[in-house]
Amino acid sequence: MNRPCILVIEDEQHIAGGLVFNLEAEGYRVLLAESGETGLELLQREKIDLLVLDLMLPGISGYEVCRRLREKLPRLPVLILSARSEERDRIKGLKLGADDYLTKPFSLDEFLLRVRGMLKRSEWYRPAATGETIFGNNRVDLSEGLADGRRGEIRLTEQEIRLLQVFFEHEGEILSRGELLQQAWGMDPATETRTLDNFVARLRKYFEPDPAEPRHFLTVRGRGYRFVRGED
C-alpha cells in the first residue's frame, strides 16, 4: 500500500524537524519546504495527499500559497499551523480554502489526530449523490465538486463538499455542532473549534442572497445548524 505523502511548508527548523520526525514515525512519507516558493514547486511536481502550511513564511506568505494552490488543486486537504491566534487571521486562512487551522503552540496528539482525520476523509470520501442539488438560485454537483452560486461558478474544496453532503442528507433537520464536526470532519464531537462556524459562513457567502440574513444555512440558537432549500 502506498504511504500518504504529506508536504510540510514551515521555515522554523525546530518546529519543522519535530513535525517531520513525528509524521514519519506515524508511517507517512514527508516532504519539507522552508519557503512558499519551494512548496509551490513541490506541489507542481509531486503527488501530495495533505499540505501542512505555516502562514508566516519568508517570501510568499502562507496565505498566498493557499490562494494559488486552490486555483489548481481545489480538493487537496490543507491544515494551517500558525502563531497567529486572532480570529481574523483564522477566518482569513479558512476563507482562502484551508480545511482546518491549529494555533501554535499545539498538542502533538491533537495535530496527529487532525492529520489522520483529514487523510481518512480524503481516502474514503466519495459523494453519494451523482445528480445535482438545487436550492434557491443555486446548483451544486457534489460528484464534480462544482457549484453555481450567487458569485458564479465555484470549485468546491473537498471539505466544503463533505459539509454540503451532510447538510443535504439531513435537509430540514437540526444538526448540533458535535454532529457536524463528527460527520463532516471526523472530529470528537466535544472538540472546541471555530472551524465549523467559519465554514458555514463560507457557504453562506457562496449561496445566500444576503449572507447576513440566511435562507438556506440557518443557525438554530443553542442547538446547531439546519439546511433548508427555501425560496429566493
Side-chain angles (χ1 to χ4, degrees), residues 144-157:
E144 295 296 327
L146 295 173
D148 286 314
R150 70 187 187 94
R151 294 192 170 192
E153 185 176 272
I154 304 159
R155 298 176 67 191
L156 299 166
T157 70

Side-chain angles (χ1 to χ4, degrees), residues 113 178 181-182 186-192:
L113 185 64
L181 287 172
Q182 186 175 50
M187 291 185 187
D188 184 325
T191 301
E192 292 291 333

Side-chain angles (χ1 to χ4, degrees), residues 169-186:
E169 289 176 350
H170 298 275
E171 180 182 350
E173 299 177 28
I174 298 173
L175 296 169
S176 70
R177 295 174 57 82
E179 289 172 323
L180 287 166
L181 287 172
Q182 186 175 50
Q183 294 186 46
W185 274 268

Side-chain angles (χ1 to χ4, degrees), residues 85-134:
S85 59
E86 294 187 17
E87 183 72 7
R88 65 174 179 269
D89 297 312
R90 187 179 299 110
I91 291 173
K92 183 177 179 180
L94 292 169
K95 280 184 176 179
L96 287 172
D99 297 291
D100 207 349
Y101 193 114
L102 275 178
T103 302
K104 301 175 183 177
F106 51 84
S107 158
L108 176 61
D109 288 340
E110 182 179 6
F111 168 71
L112 294 174
L113 185 64
R114 297 281 180 97
V115 167
R116 284 194 294 270
M118 293 174 77
L119 286 170
K120 182 178 179 181
R121 291 194 302 277
S122 181
E123 289 170 358
W124 61 250
Y125 169 71
R126 292 293 183 276
T130 57
E132 295 178 329
T133 299
I134 298 173

Side-chain angles (χ1 to χ4, degrees), residues 2 10 19 59 64 74 117 125 127-128 135-137 148 164:
N2 292 330
E10 169 63 72
L19 294 176
E64 181 64 13
Y125 169 71
F135 56 99
N137 292 323
D148 286 314
L164 282 168

Side-chain angles (χ1 to χ4, degrees), residues 187-222:
M187 291 185 187
D188 184 325
T191 301
E192 292 291 333
T193 176
R194 298 291 294 174
T195 297
L196 169 61
D197 308 277
N198 290 318
F199 265 78
V200 171
R202 192 191 296 180
L203 296 183
R204 287 172 174 167
K205 182 178 178 181
Y206 291 164
F207 301 119
E208 299 285 2
D210 179 1
E213 296 290 337
R215 303 180 184 183
H216 306 294
F217 299 94
L218 308 178
T219 299
V220 182
R221 189 175 298 277

